[in-house]
Amino acid sequence: MTNLLIDSHCHLDFSDFTADIDAVISRAYNNNVRAFLVPGVQSNQWLKLKTFQQQHDSVFVALGCHPYFLDKFADKDLEVLAQLASQDWVCAIGECGIDGYLAEQGKSHGFLIPHQQQVFEAHIDIANITNKPLIVHHRKSHHLILQSFKRIPPKCGGIIHAFSGSLNDAKRYIDLGFKLGCGGTITYPRAQKTRQVFTQIELSDIVLETDSPDMPLNGQQGSRNEPKNVKDVAVALALLRNDSFGSIEATTSDNLMRILGITR
């Protein structure tokens, strides 16, 4: 995979891509994006992801319960996740995490912080038992996630998706074995804090992502995001860091393969 770009976080199985998934993957290939990590977000999707992966050999799969869907969560979901997580086609646990904004809205008991934290910590346990990395969602919740990591230290690290915290947050995650997901946010001039952090950490601690179909790059607001845009993220990161594009391309891809334990 060295010298090829990888999208470490894209939801290619979402309905946004149903009509033209082959064209989406083809456009990514044409931009030298040759592999995709697709994280599951709720239980009714997990086995469909297995089929999706079988249809697309450039796709790697993670399974988890995203905070956005905890109003539909049932305890049995964790039992199913634990059973599936040990299978070879699952390379990571997630997308999971804690979302402080959802808790502030107070729309459902499922979004309250104690419940989110309980479900998240169950994911950490499953990841530790199966020796797999975590794919972690955060929003207004770095302190809560780090509390959970203190209670249940993750054994295999993982990826902090769409990282937008402080340099101190970044260092704490890196010390725990995590890579930081760098996406379209760095293409926005107003995102000064995030842009600066990605110049202050080692390239060996960064992976590239799009979060397709969401989080469009600057200038593409209102449009569907696609994995092909990983190339634009790589160009933006190279400019920010004064690194070569080739170095960004090779190192970030190698970083992802190592964290997933994939050698091919």
Side-chain angles (χ1 to χ4, degrees):
M1 288 294 180
T2 302
N3 297 325
L4 298 174
L5 292 163
I6 304 177
D7 190 342
S8 70
H9 198 110
C10 53
H11 298 284
L12 293 180
D13 61 318
F14 279 14
S15 60
D16 306 68
F17 295 114
T18 300
D20 64 341
I21 185 60
D22 291 336
V24 168
I25 291 176
S26 179
R27 284 192 289 271
Y29 268 51
N30 290 338
N31 258 11
N32 216 32
V33 184
R34 301 297 176 87
F36 317 89
L37 176 56
V38 180
V41 295
Q42 56 181 325
S43 60
N44 64 4
Q45 168 207 30
W46 294 340
L47 290 179
K48 295 176 185 177
L49 267 174
K50 182 178 182 180
T51 301
F52 184 81
Q53 183 191 48
Q54 291 169 341
Q55 295 168 342
H56 304 281
D57 60 9
S58 56
V59 166
F60 303 115
V61 167
L63 301 183
C65 302
H66 193 297
Y68 285 5
F69 301 98
L70 289 184
D71 56 339
K72 303 177 180 69
F73 172 82
D75 288 338
K76 66 179 181 179
D77 292 342
L78 293 174
E79 298 174 14
V80 174
L81 179 60
Q83 292 169 0
L84 294 176
S86 62
Q87 299 181 17
D88 289 343
W89 61 277
V90 180
C91 67
I93 305 304
E95 182 175 357
C96 57
I98 302 172
D99 194 301
Y101 176 80
L102 288 175
E104 290 173 357
Q105 303 309 297
K107 293 179 180 178
S108 165
H109 175 76
F111 297 137
L112 296 179
I113 290 299
H115 184 244
Q116 288 197 48
Q117 205 149 27
Q118 179 184 17
V119 174
F120 177 52
E121 290 176 8
H123 281 73
I124 304 172
D125 272 331
I126 292 170
N128 285 347
I129 290 168
T130 56
N131 293 312
K132 290 182 178 175
L134 290 155
I135 311 299
V136 180
H137 167 92
H138 68 84
R139 186 162 57 157
K140 296 186 175 182
S141 59
H142 289 301
H143 63 297
L144 298 169
I145 289 168
L146 288 163
Q147 283 175 12
S148 291
F149 285 163
K150 188 173 183 178
R151 281 193 290 269
I152 309 175
K155 293 180 180 179
C156 300
I159 299 167
I160 306 300
H161 160 52
F163 180 79
S164 60
S166 67
L167 180 60
N168 183 58
D169 292 329
K171 289 178 176 177
R172 294 179 72 182
Y173 287 129
I174 290 166
D175 287 345
L176 288 166
F178 284 82
K179 308 298 182 187
L180 306 185
C182 177
T185 299
I186 67 163
T187 67
Y188 289 82
R190 68 175 183 270
Q192 285 301 314
K193 181 181 74 172
T194 301
R195 286 160 59 91
Q196 186 174 23
V197 169
F198 278 110
T199 68
Q200 294 174 306
I201 62 176
E202 298 295 328
L203 184 56
S204 58
D205 297 316
I206 300 172
V207 295
L208 304 180
E209 62 170 63
T210 63
D211 199 23
S212 301
D214 299 318
M215 294 184 68
L217 279 63
N218 187 32
Q220 300 178 16
Q221 294 92 325
S223 299
R224 181 185 69 174
N225 201 2
E226 292 189 15
K228 69 180 179 66
N229 293 325
V230 164
K231 185 173 183 179
D232 293 330
V233 174
V235 169
L237 185 61
L239 290 171
L240 270 181
R241 295 178 56 90
N242 196 28
D243 283 335
S244 70
F245 176 84
S247 177
I248 298 292
E249 180 181 44
T251 304
T252 57
S253 295
D254 285 348
N255 293 343
L256 180 62
M257 301 305 278
R258 281 199 302 273
I259 203 73
L260 296 180
I262 295 169
T263 56
R264 68 182 177 90

